[in-house]
């Protein structure tokens, strides 16, 4: 493969840990104080870089949420390349069993269909792909899936010497609606809570390279170039 045709990838990983708590009429969930870590992997030329961050995350406000309240969580990717490289971005979101799962063998594994249905029943996430549409969910996947993948429709410009472009947040908050009662929430408690695991891929964008899927995010998606760790 010619050097020009190589994919240049930056894989980013983040973890949002959600645990179960609350008794009687009190419902709550907790997030890990270590809310996320970034891991970057590259294939191809040096210089491409990006960060995954959550500007609205406030640890002290995210530890306890009751029905009707929210946790602000806004994962987004910023192009921080050393050189003037524009890029295309995609994110994968995985719902997995957390560290308090009674079945220790399940920790880190994808939720079952039944348990994911309980999560969908209790929590509300304002997915951008379903509201504003700056992100596009991969075909065949929905908010009910344990694994959901999205590509960002716009190119992230580097804009040297200015700051590089950032995506809009994939979502901005998790909420437990006021109408959620203890019976509904008990399923979350029984599974020991859950984690939301986020990882991303960034590809260097090359103008005029649509034949290789490097011209637009949609082309890259159709060409199958957005791959994630473990796939």
């Amino acid at each position: 493969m010619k050097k020009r045709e190589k994919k240049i990838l930056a894989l980013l990983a983040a973890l949002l840990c959600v645990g179960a708590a609350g008794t009687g009429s009190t419902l709550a969930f907790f997030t890990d104080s270590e809310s996320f870590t970034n891991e970057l992997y590259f294939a191809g030329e040096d210089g491409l870089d990006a960060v995954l961050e959550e500007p609205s995350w406030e640890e002290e406000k995210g530890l306890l949420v009751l029905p009707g309240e929210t946790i602000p969580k806004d994962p987004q990717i910023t192009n921080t390349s050393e050189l003037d490289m524009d890029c295309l971005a995609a994110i994968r979101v995985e719902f997995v069993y957390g560290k308090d799962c009674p079945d220790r063998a399940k920790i880190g594994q994808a939720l079952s269909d039944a348990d994911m249905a309980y999560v969908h029943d209790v929590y509300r996430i304002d997915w951008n792909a379903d509201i504003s549409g700056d992100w596009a969910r991969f075909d065949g996947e929905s908010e009910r899936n344990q694994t959901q993948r999205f590509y960002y429709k716009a190119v992230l410009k580097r804009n040297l010497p200015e700051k590089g472009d950032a995506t809009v947040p994939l979502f901005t908050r998790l909420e437990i609606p006021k109408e959620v009662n203890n019976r509904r929430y008990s399923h979350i408690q029984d599974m020991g809570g859950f984690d939301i695991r986020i990882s991303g891929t960034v590809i260097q964008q090359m103008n005029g390279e649509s034949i290789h899927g490097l011209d637009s995010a949609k082309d890259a998606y159709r060409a199958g170039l957005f791959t994630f760790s473990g796939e």
Side-chain angles (χ1 to χ4, degrees), residues 115-212:
D115 286 340
M116 184 62 198
Y118 293 138
V119 169
H120 185 262
D121 178 58
V122 170
Y123 294 89
R124 296 292 177 268
I125 300 176
D126 61 335
W127 298 106
N128 173 281
D130 299 328
I131 300 173
S132 300
D134 298 288
W135 291 90
R137 187 182 272 108
F138 282 24
D139 292 342
E141 298 176 358
S142 77
E143 63 180 357
R144 296 178 178 271
N145 291 130
Q146 297 92 325
T147 298
Q148 301 174 42
R149 295 167 295 173
F150 308 79
Y151 66 84
Y152 193 65
K153 293 181 179 180
V155 175
L156 298 183
K157 303 290 186 179
R158 180 58 185 92
N159 303 319
L160 285 176
E162 304 299 327
K163 182 179 180 181
D165 288 349
T167 67
V168 298
L170 179 63
F171 56 89
T172 67
R173 64 185 182 272
L174 285 79
E175 177 185 10
I176 303 179
K178 291 180 180 180
E179 63 268 21
V180 171
N181 56 36
N182 203 48
R183 177 188 59 78
R184 291 169 62 186
Y185 191 74
S186 65
H187 298 294
I188 307 299
Q189 293 175 298
D190 291 343
M191 73 172 79
F194 62 94
D195 293 347
I196 296 178
R197 192 163 58 203
I198 302 175
S199 58
T201 300
V202 174
I203 306 174
Q204 183 181 353
Q205 189 258 358
M206 295 182 182
N207 289 325
E209 290 289 331
S210 58
I211 190 172
H212 304 298

